[in-house]
Every structure is written in C-alpha cells, then in structure tokens.
Amino acid sequence: TQLAAEITREQSPQKLLAAREKLYELLVNCIPASVIIKTLAMELMKNLDDELKHEVMEAAAFYEVRIARGSKDIFHLEAFIAKFMAVYKKYLNDMFA
C-alpha cells in the first residue's frame, strides 16, 4: 500500500529507483513476485479512474506472465511500475492540458 501510494503521488526516475529498493526488500523476504504484482495492481486500482483501470490490469497481467516465464523477477516488477508511471503521468497531463 505504501509503494502504491508513493508511485501514484509522483512519477519520476527517483521514485522508480526508490520503488526498486522496496521491491528488492520484498523479494529478499521471500515474498513471491506474483503476489507482489497482484497486490500492487489491486492497491493501484483503488485510486484510479475507471478509464485507466483496464490499461493497468492489462499491464499487470502482461508482466505477471513475464515473471512466470522468465527469471530476474525484479526486472519485470520494475517494468510494471515504470509502465504504470508512464500511463498515469500521460493521463494526468492529458487531463490538465
């Protein structure tokens, strides 16, 4: 929940780096990457407009499959967060532009 709030609050390379550190901490504590991505996606859904929910869930499913097929879970988790940040920032820019 804290990670979801942080990446929703600000979308920047610094926040992505901070998110990576939190992801490493979760993975080191033996929390499976699939659980992390599902929980993160559900937490992100709580604060999103209906317009974005579909796109974020699609990205979560895409990266969850990548996690299952590949190795280096951290890359796929970080890519999901980067994708979310890009989509959310574009949505905010379009809304306020």
Side-chain angles (χ1 to χ4, degrees):
T1 54
Q2 183 184 5
L3 180 58
E6 285 181 24
I7 62 176
T8 304
R9 194 175 312 118
E10 182 187 341
Q11 299 77 43
S12 67
Q14 293 81 14
K15 282 294 178 190
L16 187 58
L17 189 61
R20 180 191 300 166
E21 291 172 11
K22 286 192 186 335
L23 292 171
Y24 269 125
E25 190 177 317
L26 292 170
L27 290 169
V28 166
N29 287 310
C30 298
I31 298 175
S34 60
V35 171
I36 295 170
I37 200 165
K38 286 176 191 170
T39 306
L40 185 57
M42 294 311 293
E43 287 298 321
L44 291 170
M45 289 294 133
K46 293 178 182 177
N47 302 322
L48 289 181
D49 189 51
D50 289 343
E51 196 175 310
L52 285 178
K53 287 183 179 181
H54 178 271
E55 196 168 350
V56 171
M57 283 313 280
E58 191 175 306
F62 176 80
Y63 288 108
E64 188 175 2
V65 168
R66 287 263 174 111
I67 286 168
R69 288 186 181 163
S71 58
K72 304 286 185 193
D73 295 345
I74 189 71
F75 293 148
H76 306 296
L77 290 169
E78 189 177 350
F80 169 67
I81 291 176
K83 174 74 173 175
F84 170 79
M85 286 181 164
V87 167
Y88 192 65
K89 188 145 189 130
K90 182 183 182 312
Y91 170 76
L92 291 177
N93 287 340
D94 291 348
M95 193 168 80
F96 293 114

